[in-house]
C-alpha cells in the first residue's frame, strides 16, 4: 500500500532548498514517544552566474546526514512541514548529551595506529605504504605509485567535513629525482585531484610544485615558477585553505612565516556532481601522499597533520 503523499521525503522538486538529494532514511522513536526521520542529503555549492534550472549545484562534502520530525496521521508517518527537508527542526524534549571530539585537531602521530578519520585507497594501511613506528611521532610514507594509479598509492587522507577549513602538515623529504614527490593532497579520485608537493628540479634543486588533474587532464599551474627550498631547510610546511567555493595553498620553511601560492582552485571540481563517470557520495578528501616512480620507495616523514574548521 503506497503512502498517500509518496514520497515521504524528497527535495527533487524544490530547487531552492539548501538540502538536496534527500532520502535513504531511517524512522526512529525516542524514549518519550517522539518520532524522527534520520536521512541522507547533500548541501550543494551554487556557481555564480548559473541559474537553478541549469544545474543543481555541487557537493564537495559528499553525502551528509540530517534529521526531520515526524507526525502520524491516519496511520501514516508525515514529515512535519511537508515532504521537503527543513534546515531546522524541533528538538526532542530530552536531556542534552554531548560527545567530546573523537580526534585531535592536530594529530602528532604519537600512537601506533592511524586515527579512525584517516583512510587509505583500496588497501588497508600497512608496511607496504608506511609506518607509524619507524620514526617516533611521525607518519612515514614510502613512495609508491602516482595519484593516477588504481593499485598501490602511499596516500593517507581524511574527508572534507566543512565548507571552510585549513589543513596543514610538515614533511621531511629528500628527493633525488623529479619522479619522487611528497606533500599535501586535495583529492576526489584518480581523475580529479590537486597535489602540492616537494620534489627535485634538475636546475633549481629541491622545489615546491603543484600538479593538478581535472577530468583526467594533468597540468602544472606554477610550471616555470616553482618555489626553491633553501638547502639548509630540513622540512617544509604545507597548508591548504578551503573557503567555500575555492581553495588555495601556502607554504612555510620555519612554521611561522607563511607565503600563499598565488593560484586558486575551484572546490566544486572535487565533488560527486562534477567528476566524470559519476560520483559515489564520498565527497572530497585532504591528506598526505608520497610518490616514487623509480621503484626505490623513497620515504617521506610527516611530523603532524592538522584539520581546523573555520567560521
Amino acid at each position: 500500500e503506497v503512502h498517500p503523499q509518496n514520497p515521504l521525503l524528497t527535495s527533487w522538486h524544490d530547487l531552492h532548498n539548501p538540502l538536496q538529494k534527500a532520502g535513504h532514511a531511517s524512522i526512529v522513536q525516542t524514549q518519550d514517544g517522539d518520532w524522527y526521520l534520520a536521512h541522507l542529503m547533500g548541501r550543494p555549492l551554487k556557481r555564480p552566474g548559473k541559474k537553478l534550472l541549469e544545474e543543481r549545484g555541487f557537493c564537495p562534502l559528499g553525502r551528509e546526514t540530517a534529521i526531520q520530525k515526524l507526525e502520524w496521521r491516519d496511520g501514516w508517518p508525515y514529515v512535519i512541514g511537508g515532504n521537503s527537508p527543513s534546515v531546522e527542526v524541533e528538538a526532542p524534549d530530552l536531556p542534552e548529551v554531548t560527545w567530546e571530539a573523537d580526534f585531535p585537531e592536530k594529530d602528532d602521530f604519537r600512537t601506533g595506529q592511524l586515527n579512525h578519520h584517516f583512510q587509505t585507497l583500496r588497501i588497508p594501511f600497512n608496511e607496504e605504504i608506511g609506518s607509524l613506528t619507524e620514526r617516533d611521532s611521525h607518519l612515514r610514507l614510502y613512495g609508491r605509485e602516482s595519484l593516477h594509479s588504481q593499485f598501490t598509492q602511499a596516500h593517507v587522507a581524511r574527508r572534507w567535513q566543512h565548507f571552510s577549513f585549513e589543513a596543514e602538515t610538515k614533511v621531511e623529504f629528500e628527493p633525488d629525482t623529479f619522479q619522487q614527490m611528497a606533500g599535501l593532497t586535495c583529492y576526489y579520485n584518480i581523475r580529479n585531484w590537486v597535489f602540492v608537493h616537494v620534489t627535485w628540479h634538475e636546475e633549481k634543486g629541491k622545489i615546491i610544485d603543484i600538479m593538478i588533474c581535472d577530468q583526467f587532464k594533468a597540468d602544472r599551474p606554477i610550471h616555470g615558477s616553482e618555489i626553491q627550498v633553501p638547502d639548509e631547510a630540513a622540512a617544509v610546511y604545507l597548508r591548504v585553505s578551503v573557503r567555500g567555493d575555492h581553495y588555495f595553498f601556502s607554504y612555510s620553511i620555519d612554521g611561522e612565516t607563511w607565503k600563499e601560492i598565488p593560484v586558486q582552485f575551484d572546490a566544486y571540481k572535487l565533488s560527486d556532481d562534477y567528476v566524470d563517470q559519476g560520483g559515489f557520495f564520498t565527497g572530497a578528501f585532504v591528506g598526505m601522499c608520497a610518490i616514487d616512480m623509480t621503484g626505490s620507495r623513497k620515504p617521506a616523514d610527516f611530523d603532524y597533520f592538522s584539520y581546523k574548521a573555520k567560521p
Side-chain angles (χ1 to χ4, degrees):
E1 188 174 354
V2 178
H3 192 288
Q5 190 180 286
N6 185 53
L8 176 64
L9 181 73
T10 180
S11 48
W12 178 252
H13 63 287
D14 188 357
L15 297 177
H16 292 278
N17 196 316
L19 308 184
Q20 291 293 312
K21 306 180 182 180
H24 295 272
S26 297
I27 296 176
V28 295
Q29 184 182 24
T30 73
Q31 54 267 53
D32 285 355
D34 291 325
W35 291 84
Y36 285 86
L37 191 72
H39 65 93
L40 299 182
M41 56 86 199
R43 292 182 292 165
L45 295 174
K46 306 291 186 180
R47 289 197 290 178
K50 293 292 185 178
K51 298 178 181 179
L52 282 176
L53 293 179
E54 289 183 276
E55 59 185 31
R56 301 181 75 93
F58 300 83
C59 301
L61 301 190
R63 282 287 178 91
E64 302 178 86
T65 307
I67 195 167
Q68 308 298 323
K69 190 168 186 181
L70 291 177
E71 62 182 357
W72 290 83
R73 302 199 303 264
D74 301 324
W76 292 99
Y78 287 83
V79 174
I80 292 178
N83 70 342
S84 288
S86 299
V87 175
E88 295 185 359
V89 301
E90 180 186 348
D93 186 18
L94 297 172
E96 182 179 3
V97 178
T98 60
W99 281 266
E100 298 297 326
D102 62 352
F103 66 95
E105 187 176 274
K106 182 180 180 182
D107 190 337
D108 291 310
F109 304 121
R110 298 187 186 278
T111 66
Q113 62 183 16
L114 291 173
N115 85 59
H116 66 91
H117 285 269
F118 283 121
Q119 299 187 42
T120 54
L121 193 63
R122 299 186 184 87
I123 61 175
F125 182 78
N126 58 35
E127 65 278 0
E128 291 295 311
I129 296 172
S131 171
L132 285 162
T133 57
E134 189 68 25
R135 182 177 176 186
D136 187 46
S137 300
H138 285 76
L139 168 65
R140 172 165 290 183
L141 294 180
Y142 300 109
R144 297 304 302 259
E145 297 161 18
S146 78
L147 287 166
H148 290 305
S149 173
Q150 299 188 60
F151 298 95
T152 306
Q153 293 189 22
H155 192 183
V156 173
R158 54 156 296 155
R159 293 174 188 263
W160 288 21
Q161 288 184 282
H162 304 84
F163 287 117
S164 294
F165 69 87
E166 286 184 352
E168 179 183 313
T169 191
K170 174 185 177 184
V171 59
E172 294 181 41
F173 187 57
E174 297 298 332
D176 303 309
T177 167
F178 68 92
Q179 293 177 303
Q180 297 168 334
M181 295 160 265
L184 189 65
T185 62
C186 286
Y187 183 91
Y188 188 93
N189 62 9
I190 63 170
R191 295 170 175 262
N192 299 270
W193 45 263
V194 181
F195 184 31
V196 58
H197 58 275
V198 176
T199 187
W200 183 260
H201 191 283
E202 291 182 353
E203 297 177 357
K204 299 179 180 179
K206 189 158 69 170
I207 60 167
I208 298 170
D209 199 1
I210 298 177
M211 294 183 67
I212 68 174
C213 187
D214 184 347
Q215 302 283 35
F216 223 26
K217 295 179 181 179
D219 195 12
R220 293 172 56 207
I222 61 172
H223 177 59
S225 301
E226 301 90 349
I227 300 154
Q228 287 185 265
V229 178
D231 292 338
E232 65 274 13
V236 173
Y237 297 79
L238 300 172
R239 175 190 292 166
V240 61
S241 301
V242 178
R243 298 291 183 266
D245 61 358
H246 70 279
Y247 60 98
F248 56 90
F249 296 97
S250 306
Y251 72 94
S252 174
I253 302 302
D254 59 9
E256 296 181 3
T257 303
W258 289 84
K259 294 184 179 180
E260 181 181 330
I261 302 174
V263 183
Q264 287 196 354
F265 301 92
D266 293 318
Y268 79 87
K269 290 188 174 182
L270 299 180
S271 72
D272 302 327
D273 316 86
Y274 177 79
V275 303
D276 56 355
Q277 300 179 329
F280 301 97
F281 317 127
T282 63
F285 280 70
V286 59
M288 300 154 286
C289 181
I291 295 171
D292 187 350
M293 291 182 286
T294 71
S296 60
R297 300 180 67 207
K298 171 74 74 170
D301 288 336
F302 294 86
D303 185 32
Y304 67 87
F305 184 89
S306 67
Y307 178 100
K308 185 176 182 179
K310 291 291 184 179

